[in-house]
Amino acid sequence: MVSTQVKIFNSGADYLEPTDSVNQSLFPLTARVNAEDHLEIGGCDVVSLVERFGSPLYILDEMSLRTACQQYQQALNQFYGGLSQVIYASKAWNCLAVCGIVASEGLGFDVVSGGELYTAIQALDKLGINPQDNIYFHGNNKSIPELLLAIEHDCTIMVDNWAELQQLASWSQKNIKIMLRLTPGIECHTHEYIRTGHLDSKFGFDPNDLDALFKFVSERSHLNCVGLHAHIGSQIFECQPHQDLARLMVSWQQKAISYGLPISTLNVGGGLGIRYTEQDDPPSIHQWVELVSKGITSACLELGLSLPKLMIEPGRSLIGSSCVTAYTIGSSKTVPGIRKYIAVDGGMSDNPRPITYQSVYRCAIANRMSAPLTEEVTVAGKHCESGDILIRSARLPETTAGDILVVMATGAYNYSMASNYNRLPRPAAVIVKEGEANLILRRETYTDLLNQDLFPERLLEKE
Ligand code: LLP
């Protein structure tokens, strides 16, 4: 990996650096500065998009998302000699249009709840694609109705623990396709909330139970166990953990085969990081796929196993860099000698990542992309919470109320983690492509906010 030099950006336009791999780009691939010095994405002027659709607005570049899907598939074709499949970890952003785009690129889905499952089924249905072999259902505490919905649609259940396995074992009249999720005990450097591979994780079977597990499954003929799964965490830049994981999983596969289980698939999870700031230096999609492919291939050669079907389930690196969030700047406040706050019309409800994981973002002023960056400010949200800070230290030109501020790389875990905190309606989202913008999630209204509210008659009665 070539290490990035610390770059000095003089204007918002400097963030538009050409990159080969979508996950290494701060802005979506189609971003450019137009003749009016405005940011343009997918051929659409961001300032005009805000005039038309309002703000905050998630702007998703279809071309970047499709390119990321293609980059994963091309890399697998190039570096892996066996069968392979990319499934989208849809927790990153699960909605009909996103699922539709990803499915039309030939990817399957990792879903983690009945709601994600239902949405993926509906999106596939629109495209006439069968959920079978395309939906993989994860989760450490799936409910019985969720499991039944998945089984009804022939989805593969990613079995997480003994309680779930025993539940499935009790449905002996059904033929159920499963994969077993194991905790690999591999440490990696990322935020502790998004590490999943270490042994003290709520996810997956303990690898010390492998013998008992494989024996149990091999004795239940209605449980069609096709593969093994592990995921070590998210926003990972290191290569070694995934190489170690590949070797470990092949050794598990060997053991499973010794119990007569026809394990043909290894799913190594997702986790490849993206660039949120100019200092971030994630491996490219190609580099990541190459090292995983080589890890599996060389371990199989050593152990004399034929190549399994290799599955990967990226979320963030497929969609994170494809989207920006546009806000309108409102009030500002200078605390002399300390800092200047500028406030935008959204915040922790549309992007809870800074307050949850101390995530760092970059931003630019979409209506003055070439203006010199002369100020260091704190970008605050509008929530009634002091911690509602989107960017603690942002370099911007001098701004005024009405300027359009875009935060980069908001495609992953932003809309999907959005809330109605302080009763803010969730923003709209548009996809942009070749000058056309289509609404994919309409802005919530105050009426939407009251949709689930009930007012029991009893409250009208006088005491
Ligand atoms: N597979 C499994 C089993 C996972 O748990 C995850 C993410 C993925 C795949 C996709 O990982 P990715 O490629 O996106 O790194 N809300 C956090 C991230 C939580 C990730 C949870 N699992 C955030 O905003 O950073």
Side-chain angles (χ1 to χ4, degrees):
M1 220 191 311
V2 192
S3 84
T4 324
Q5 284 158 14
V6 177
K7 301 183 184 101
I8 305 294
F9 289 162
N10 296 313
S11 73
D14 290 349
Y15 287 103
L16 294 157
E17 290 180 301
T19 48
D20 290 333
S21 187
V22 183
N23 70 315
Q24 294 178 326
S25 184
L26 278 164
F27 267 121
L29 298 181
T30 61
R32 65 178 205 98
V33 178
N34 68 17
E36 285 169 275
D37 200 27
H38 291 179
L39 175 64
E40 192 178 285
I41 298 177
C44 298
D45 183 311
V46 167
V47 180
S48 313
L49 288 176
V50 170
E51 278 164 14
R52 182 168 159 209
F53 296 102
S55 68
L57 182 67
Y58 298 103
I59 302 170
L60 176 63
D61 180 36
E62 188 175 331
M63 200 271 243
S64 299
L65 176 55
R66 288 191 184 277
T67 304
C69 295
Q70 291 158 14
Q71 287 183 339
Y72 267 110
Q73 288 172 317
Q74 283 158 2
L76 278 168
N77 290 339
Q78 183 177 344
F79 297 114
Y80 194 64
L83 294 174
S84 60
Q85 185 179 17
V86 189
I87 62 174
Y88 167 52
S90 68
K91 71 208 79 177
W93 190 346
N94 180 298
C95 67
L96 272 186
V98 166
C99 290
I101 293 171
V102 169
S104 70
E105 289 295 332
L107 275 64
F109 294 98
D110 147 11
V111 298
V112 296
S113 68
E116 285 190 0
L117 170 63
Y118 179 75
T119 310
I121 292 171
Q122 295 302 314
L124 288 173
D125 186 55
K126 283 189 183 298
L127 297 170
I129 302 174
N130 194 336
Q132 195 185 4
D133 296 326
N134 282 312
I135 302 186
Y136 296 79
F137 187 22
H138 273 285
N140 66 316
N141 191 21
K142 307 175 191 80
S143 70
I144 290 179
E146 285 177 322
L147 285 169
L148 292 173
L149 180 66
I151 293 167
E152 183 195 328
H153 287 89
D154 281 327
C155 304
T156 305
I157 311 292
M158 311 301 276
V159 186
D160 191 271
N161 52 59
W162 282 103
E164 186 179 36
L165 187 59
Q166 271 146 4
Q167 177 65 62
L168 296 174
S170 74
W171 289 335
S172 52
Q173 72 287 10
K174 300 184 193 296
N175 188 20
I176 307 171
K177 207 170 185 188
I178 63 169
M179 289 179 65
L180 301 170
R181 175 171 183 169
L182 295 148
T183 317
I186 291 176
E187 302 281 337
C188 56
H189 295 105
T190 188
H191 194 285
E192 69 163 300
Y193 292 2
I194 53 179
R195 274 188 327 196
T196 49
H198 55 303
L199 283 175
D200 180 12
S201 161
K202 70 170 183 166
F203 297 107
F205 288 94
D206 182 338
N208 294 317
D209 285 356
L210 274 190
D211 287 288
L213 183 61
F214 291 156
K215 181 166 181 299
F216 183 95
V217 176
S218 63
E219 287 165 355
R220 312 271 177 318
S221 60
H222 72 292
L223 296 180
N224 175 16
C225 182
V226 295
L228 305 176
H229 170 280
H231 170 77
I232 53 178
S234 197
Q235 184 59 2
I236 299 171
F237 289 6
E238 303 154 279
C239 293
Q240 195 59 44
H242 276 104
Q243 266 160 331
D244 296 345
L245 178 67
R247 303 192 74 78
L248 183 64
M249 291 189 75
V250 173
S251 72
W252 293 340
Q253 184 193 4
Q254 189 182 37
K255 181 173 269 218
I257 291 171
S258 75
Y259 278 88
L261 289 175
I263 298 292
S264 57
T265 304
L266 293 182
N267 180 335
V268 298
L272 172 61
I274 67 167
R275 177 167 282 160
Y276 285 105
T277 75
E278 60 284 7
Q279 274 100 30
D280 290 338
D281 191 18
S284 69
I285 290 174
H286 269 75
Q287 285 168 323
W288 189 86
V289 170
E290 180 179 10
L291 74 92
V292 169
S293 303
K294 285 191 172 156
I296 298 279
T297 309
S298 63
C300 284
L301 267 177
E302 259 170 54
L303 298 178
L305 297 179
S306 51
L307 285 183
K309 172 174 161 187
L310 172 57
M311 281 181 69
I312 56 178
E313 51 187 25
R316 189 190 314 269
S317 53
L318 267 179
I319 198 162
S321 320
S322 305
C323 181
V324 301
T325 308
Y327 302 92
T328 304
I329 294 179
S331 64
S332 65
K333 170 182 175 177
T334 302
V335 187
I338 302 185
R339 71 175 72 245
K340 177 175 174 186
Y341 288 97
I342 59 170
V344 294
D345 51 356
M348 60 185 283
S349 57
D350 60 77
N351 184 358
R353 298 195 69 257
I355 198 167
T356 313
Y357 315 112
Q358 299 76 48
S359 310
V360 181
Y361 282 87
R362 291 292 184 252
C363 62
I365 299 299
N367 49 308
R368 256 173 304 120
M369 287 296 286
S370 309
L373 307 179
T374 51
E375 293 206 329
E376 180 136 340
V377 299
T378 293
V379 180
K382 65 175 282 160
H383 291 273
C384 215
E385 176 125 356
S386 303
D388 176 30
I389 301 294
L390 282 178
I391 306 177
R392 200 150 282 284
S393 172
R395 289 185 66 229
L396 287 176
E398 203 177 320
T399 54
T400 52
D403 278 339
I404 305 301
L405 181 135
V406 284
V407 174
M408 301 160 208
T410 57
Y413 307 109
N414 272 229
Y415 188 87
S416 62
M417 291 174 70
S419 75
N420 290 122
Y421 183 44
N422 292 161
R423 288 239 134 173
L424 261 69
R426 263 177 280 243
V430 289
I431 41 167
V432 289
K433 188 185 178 195
E434 292 167 7
E436 205 181 306
N438 307 94
L439 207 49
I440 58 168
L441 287 154
R442 71 171 173 75
R443 184 176 305 283
E444 284 177 348
T445 61
Y446 292 152
T447 322
D448 291 330
L449 292 178
L450 292 188
N451 255 348
Q452 311 306 321
D453 287 27
L454 298 171
F455 198 87
E457 287 285 310
R458 190 170 58 72
L459 301 180
L460 295 172
E461 289 163 19
K462 295 219 169 72
E463 290 289 307

